[in-house]
Amino acid sequence: MPISADRLYHHNRRIAKEKWGFLLNHTILDSLKAFSAGFEFSIAGGDLLLLNDSWYVTHSGLLRVARRNHCQGIRVQPVRDFCDPTAARYSFRATVYTSKNSKGFVGYGDADPSNVSPLVHGAEMRVAETRAVNRALRKAYGIGICSVEELGSSAELRPSSPQSKKLPPQPANGNYGGSKVRDRLCQVIRQHQLDPNLVKSYATEFCRVKALREATRAQVENFVAHLADWAEKDRSALLCQLNSYSSPKEDAA
């Protein structure tokens, strides 16, 4: 018999307090309640992790959502033009079919030694495949939080800590971090011929906010630096990432 949303939330909250204790606050718990009710995520089942004061879903958690929603299948293909095994660089396209008549929700994933943790060097192909599947699943089922497997080597994969709470974030006042940061972002977009709308979608997810105007100046500065660095190192892989934010193409036949 399925567990009720309230019971699942209370179970999740109890385990979260055991794992993360006083690091939890009302905002984090409110998010946990929403994820418990909306997606039936279970901390005990390994569906969610709390990192740097934000929830992240796991690959196994996404697969369980797909199974509960009777996913019809997932197709994964390498994007061969962007794969270079000699450099351990891989790119994949995943398509999630939510119903028999579904045209599919598409997600792209890439990985190379520069954007994965040193702990998984040698497994870049598997990481790229997992990232593609995760992005397609999140798009298919409307899951707004990032997955753990999508985090790159530049992300700080450590549990939330009290030190992160010492200084409150300073708002960007809706100007995307100030004129200098905005000008730098526009310069990167023009220089590398990127789609501004897709960049904005990526920035929103990168900064873990619902709207980019809610991001702090530091978050936007980090994103712009990340975007510029990735564009310089591997524009093709960046385009794959940006394309994953294109509007889903699904309608019934």
Side-chain angles (χ1 to χ4, degrees):
M1 183 176 180
I3 186 173
S4 69
D6 284 342
R7 186 175 178 184
L8 177 59
Y9 166 63
H10 289 299
H11 184 61
N12 279 336
R13 185 176 65 177
R14 178 177 62 79
I15 296 196
K17 287 184 176 180
E18 292 175 358
K19 291 172 68 71
W20 298 293
F22 65 93
L23 299 176
L24 301 173
N25 57 40
H26 289 300
T27 300
I28 292 174
L29 289 175
D30 285 345
S31 298
L32 178 60
K33 186 173 185 178
F35 298 144
S36 301
F39 303 108
E40 300 180 34
F41 287 145
S42 166
I43 295 177
D47 296 345
L48 292 173
L49 287 176
L50 183 66
L51 300 171
N52 300 331
D53 302 322
S54 295
W55 292 111
Y56 288 85
V57 64
T58 65
H59 181 61
S60 59
L62 290 170
L63 290 178
R64 275 190 277 271
V65 170
R67 184 169 60 249
R68 284 195 296 270
N69 285 276
H70 309 291
C71 177
Q72 294 298 301
I74 303 173
R75 184 184 184 189
V76 184
Q77 302 166 284
V79 184
R80 299 192 184 280
D81 290 344
F82 299 140
C83 292
D84 182 2
T86 60
R89 181 181 298 117
Y90 298 92
S91 180
F92 282 84
R93 169 191 168 108
T95 307
V96 170
Y97 300 97
T98 56
S99 67
K100 291 182 178 180
N101 295 322
S102 169
K103 289 188 176 181
F105 292 86
V106 176
Y108 290 87
D110 66 272
D112 62 59
S114 72
N115 68 6
V116 301
S117 166
L119 296 175
V120 293
H121 280 179
E124 286 83 2
M125 184 169 67
R126 179 60 61 84
V127 173
E129 182 179 9
T130 301
R131 286 174 173 175
V133 171
N134 285 5
R135 285 167 182 154
L137 285 170
R138 292 196 298 106
K139 187 180 293 184
Y141 296 106
I143 300 172
I145 56 174
C146 189
S147 70
V148 176
E149 292 80 8
E150 291 175 67
L151 295 174
S153 58
S154 61
E156 297 179 3
L157 298 177
R158 64 172 184 269
S160 301
S161 62
Q163 286 74 18
S164 64
K165 300 177 181 294
K166 287 184 178 179
L167 295 176
Q170 299 301 311
N173 295 324
N175 65 357
Y176 299 167
S179 59
K180 290 184 179 180
V181 180
R182 183 175 62 247
D183 290 346
R184 173 59 175 150
L185 177 59
C186 292
Q187 179 186 14
V188 173
I189 291 174
R190 288 194 302 269
Q191 179 183 351
H192 298 282
Q193 298 180 345
L194 307 177
D195 186 311
N197 292 324
L198 298 182
V199 169
K200 184 177 180 180
S201 296
Y202 182 29
T204 302
E205 182 179 87
F206 183 91
C207 296
R208 302 195 295 275
V209 293
K210 293 182 179 179
L212 194 52
R213 64 177 177 272
E214 299 174 0
T216 66
R217 181 186 180 90
Q219 285 177 315
V220 178
E221 287 177 341
N222 287 338
F223 171 74
V224 174
H226 164 78
L227 186 74
D229 182 64
W230 198 358
E232 289 289 344
K233 288 182 177 179
D234 195 338
R235 180 176 178 273
S236 296
L238 174 59
L239 291 179
C240 278
Q241 165 74 14
L242 294 177
N243 285 337
S244 71
Y245 298 95
S246 297
S247 298
K249 298 178 180 179
E250 169 174 66
D251 30 52

